[in-house]
Amino acid sequence: MRPDNQSGVSQFLLRGLPIGPEQQGAFFALFLAMYLTTVLGNLLLVLLIRLDARLHTPMYFFLSHLAFSDVSVSSVTIPKMLMDMQTQDHAIPYAGCIFQLYFFIVFGCADNLLLAVMAYDRYVAVCHPLHYLTIMREELCVLLVAASWFVSSVHALLHTLLLVRLSFCTDSTINHFFCDLTVLLKLSCSNISLNELVILTEGGILVTLPLASVLGSYIHIGTVILRVPTTKGLLKAFSTCGSHLFVVSLYYGTLASVYFFSSSWDSKDIIASVMYTVVTPMLNPFIYSLRNRDIKQALEMLVNRAYFLK
């Protein structure tokens, strides 16, 4: 994919976070610590799943891809933001902005689809436990993950190609800390009706279908639980689905606050974007690990192995 600049704009200026110069140092240290926690936490989760044979199950296979996607969506945006805060050089080349947009859409869409796949996995585990291994066989798991990444890549490519055909005005200041599609469209001097139509139709489908899949899965799970409302059954269902349900709520809550419940792109929307790109990916490894006995045991074995090698 070769970005073709139709307007002669060589670079954009990222305005960054709405903070004063005297606060830059404190926020730089905060976001650097959060980014390093995100990278280390998610990569450790991927490593544990790959090394421990007990974690070679469909649920953890999907979780490893979600962790990789979380690391990637943060790595697409946060390093550039940290560099801008440190150097005070907020310029980003046109090609760099286009590539940042493409990969941000890829990993953001992959998160959405993988959460839907994981909801289906939890539905099968709770509603059809005796047939779980038969239904969630390895071929189906690989197919679901491959389809998620393929659809995400095509989705991102479509919106990126529609964007690069546009011309941009002389004011190339982006009121954000990364190149977001909705903000870039506002800077265009061209007719963006086709872009908006595709966002509402194709983009809307890729949001509503996974969300409907998640809701449908948990409605069925809730129905099964209510048929036998025992304390043991409730605790088992919570241990099976609680972490995923919390992550889904966090993901769609921040996504909705960014793209659906805002009237204009202001500081509140930027804060919501920080939640989506920094906070949620950082919290996911902790959410899936704190109450997960398998992950804790795998971590203990890894630590003991490392101590033994010394």
Side-chain angles (χ1 to χ4, degrees):
M1 181 181 64
R2 181 179 177 272
D4 186 16
N5 187 357
Q6 299 290 337
S7 59
V9 174
S10 60
Q11 65 180 16
F12 293 98
L13 292 177
L14 297 170
R15 185 167 293 178
L17 298 176
I19 55 178
E22 67 281 357
Q23 301 171 315
Q24 293 280 347
F27 274 92
F28 175 83
L30 174 63
F31 283 111
L32 177 61
M34 294 173 69
Y35 176 66
L36 292 177
T37 303
T38 299
V39 173
L40 294 176
N42 282 284
L43 290 183
L44 178 60
L45 194 58
V46 173
L47 181 65
L48 291 175
I49 293 172
R50 290 288 181 262
L51 292 181
D52 197 314
R54 293 172 301 176
L55 302 182
H56 293 173
T57 64
M59 181 182 73
Y60 293 113
F61 174 67
F62 299 139
L63 180 57
S64 67
H65 283 269
L66 181 67
F68 173 75
S69 181
D70 283 339
V71 170
S72 301
V73 77
S74 291
S75 298
V76 166
T77 56
I78 304 307
K80 172 59 179 171
M81 181 186 73
L82 292 173
M83 186 176 69
D84 291 347
M85 294 172 68
Q86 191 70 10
T87 64
Q88 298 301 311
D89 179 12
H90 296 271
I92 181 171
Y94 176 87
C97 186
I98 296 301
F99 280 112
Q100 185 186 58
L101 170 69
Y102 172 78
F103 286 109
F104 177 77
I105 296 176
V106 168
F107 297 121
C109 183
D111 262 6
N112 184 33
L113 296 176
L114 288 170
L115 286 174
V117 169
M118 294 174 72
Y120 174 72
D121 173 71
R122 295 299 83 203
Y123 156 74
V124 176
V126 174
C127 300
H128 305 282
L130 299 179
H131 303 284
Y132 178 74
L133 294 178
T134 304
I135 297 174
M136 300 304 296
R137 57 193 186 278
E138 183 179 356
E139 296 81 4
L140 178 62
C141 295
V142 172
L143 178 63
L144 290 172
V145 167
S148 298
W149 286 111
F150 176 76
V151 171
S152 299
S153 300
V154 173
H155 168 68
L157 183 62
L158 172 63
H159 287 282
T160 304
L161 292 177
L162 288 175
L163 180 72
V164 297
R165 68 183 182 86
L166 303 177
S167 298
F168 291 92
C169 305
T170 53
D171 183 11
S172 58
T173 301
I174 298 175
N175 189 27
H176 212 312
F177 62 89
F178 69 95
C179 295
D180 184 80
L181 179 60
T182 55
V183 183
L184 286 170
L185 289 178
K186 291 180 181 180
L187 296 179
S188 175
C189 299
S190 305
N191 185 355
I192 62 172
S193 57
L194 178 59
N195 300 71
E196 294 175 334
L197 178 63
V198 173
I199 290 174
L200 289 175
T201 55
E202 185 266 353
I205 290 173
L206 281 182
V207 172
T208 55
L209 284 184
L211 179 59
S213 175
V214 170
L215 293 176
S217 297
Y218 278 103
I219 288 173
H220 280 88
I221 291 173
T223 303
V224 170
I225 294 173
L226 291 177
R227 288 176 185 170
V228 189
T230 62
T231 304
K232 183 178 180 181
L234 291 174
L235 291 176
K236 183 178 180 181
F238 180 76
S239 65
T240 303
C241 308
S243 298
H244 178 259
L245 188 58
F246 187 83
V247 170
V248 166
S249 302
L250 193 62
Y251 174 83
Y252 283 108
T254 55
L255 191 68
S257 64
V258 173
Y259 294 108
F260 296 104
F261 296 151
S262 59
S263 57
S264 61
W265 200 266
D266 53 22
S267 59
K268 291 184 295 183
D269 304 295
I270 295 178
I271 293 172
S273 295
V274 169
M275 288 287 296
Y276 173 68
T277 59
V278 185
V279 178
T280 302
M282 180 187 69
L283 292 179
N284 283 354
F286 297 100
I287 294 171
Y288 280 106
S289 303
L290 289 178
R291 297 179 59 87
N292 192 307
R293 186 186 308 169
D294 295 332
I295 295 291
K296 289 181 179 179
Q297 290 177 349
L299 181 58
E300 289 176 1
M301 288 185 61
L302 181 64
V303 172
N304 292 335
R305 187 184 304 175
Y307 180 78
F308 177 77
L309 290 177
K310 288 183 179 180

